[in-house]
Amino acid sequence: MSALPYFFEPTIQQSSTHFELSEVTSKHCIQVLRMRAGESLHLTDGVGNLYTASIVEADKKKTVVKIDLVVHTPAPTKNVCIAIGLLKNTGRFEWFLEKATEMGVTKIVPLICERSERSNLKGERMMGVLVAALIQSKQTWLPVLSEPITVAQFIDKHPSSQKLIAHCEEGNKTALTNIPNSNDTSILIGPEGDFTPSEITLAIDAKYTPVSLGETRLRTETAGMVAAALLLYKN
């Protein structure tokens, strides 16, 4: 039996008995997949709920479904926040967003660093990347994507049980593989050209632990993925 089609509908409610699909989802169901009344599909709201629904009114603009089953998945036990320097190449940043979503990162904060060559993002487009990755990986928790902020703003506004910074400057660092396991971690990843010494000092003064991601110098988006993998999958 093939898997049911999977869609993101953020406005659906757990108490719903019937729901009108968005025009985008309706069009995909009826025109692309050629679904008809009586066929089933999966919907998620991105906050842990998976809905099994069946089509009762097939319409390319406003398909109506009946909610047959709702299953709630608890929030991830590991909260991993990746605060990562904005990249000049938006395609590479989108790649990071996609992979971080697939892996289960809970929060992504784009950082405006002193050496950043970009200070803004197309929020709607970036959210689309996250949603597509959520659907592809069939998850029910959509990562939180923050507006771009400075390193100082992040340090001031995002407390975590475990605070880490990965940078390329010489100095005492702990291998990330040797960092104790934690269920609430934030890690700072620098932009092209790395964090400046003043940014590193600011983080260390705020009790961020400098960490190493390995022996080679990594691109920003690669460093973000390595950090996510090591933090999420550590036993």
Side-chain angles (χ1 to χ4, degrees), residues 114-115 165 169 193-204:
E114 293 179 26
R115 290 174 175 155
I165 178 171
E169 294 287 319
D194 200 14
F195 291 118
T196 62
S198 63
E199 288 172 327
I200 295 170
T201 298
L202 182 68
I204 292 174

Side-chain angles (χ1 to χ4, degrees), residues 105-233:
V105 169
T106 48
K107 188 170 187 178
I108 301 164
V109 181
L111 291 179
I112 304 168
C113 306
E114 293 179 26
R115 290 174 175 155
S116 293
E117 296 188 53
R118 179 182 292 274
S119 60
N120 63 332
L121 282 177
K122 294 181 179 179
E124 187 175 340
R125 178 181 174 88
M126 297 302 117
M127 187 57 65
V129 172
L130 265 64
V131 168
L134 177 86
I135 292 171
Q136 186 279 324
S137 55
K138 298 191 183 300
Q139 297 186 72
T140 57
W141 284 95
L142 186 71
V144 174
L145 178 63
S146 298
E147 292 292 323
I149 58 174
T150 66
V151 175
Q153 288 171 325
F154 180 83
I155 289 172
D156 182 55
K157 296 179 180 180
H158 289 77
S160 295
S161 301
Q162 184 167 247
K163 303 183 293 186
L164 311 172
I165 178 171
H167 64 80
C168 300
E169 294 287 319
E170 296 294 329
N172 292 327
K173 301 177 191 176
T174 303
L176 186 54
T177 51
N178 293 332
I179 291 291
N181 201 1
S182 172
N183 288 334
D184 182 30
T185 302
S186 290
I187 185 166
L188 300 170
I189 305 290
E192 294 110 326
D194 200 14
F195 291 118
T196 62
S198 63
E199 288 172 327
I200 295 170
T201 298
L202 182 68
I204 292 174
D205 288 347
K207 308 302 182 185
Y208 277 73
T209 300
V211 295
S212 168
L213 301 179
E215 298 299 321
T216 61
R217 188 179 181 107
L218 305 174
R219 284 182 181 270
T220 296
E221 69 274 21
T222 309
M225 291 311 304
V226 169
L230 291 175
L231 292 170
L232 285 166
Y233 303 140

Side-chain angles (χ1 to χ4, degrees), residues 61-78:
K61 289 188 176 181
K62 48 183 181 180
T63 290
V64 177
V65 299
K66 179 173 68 72
I67 307 303
D68 300 316
L69 179 67
V70 184
V71 177
H72 180 75
T73 301
T77 56
K78 280 193 175 183

Side-chain angles (χ1 to χ4, degrees), residues 8-23:
F8 176 65
E9 289 287 352
T11 63
I12 194 170
Q13 302 292 321
Q14 280 186 280
S15 58
S16 300
T17 58
H18 289 75
F19 180 74
E20 184 178 296
L21 302 180
S22 65
E23 185 172 343

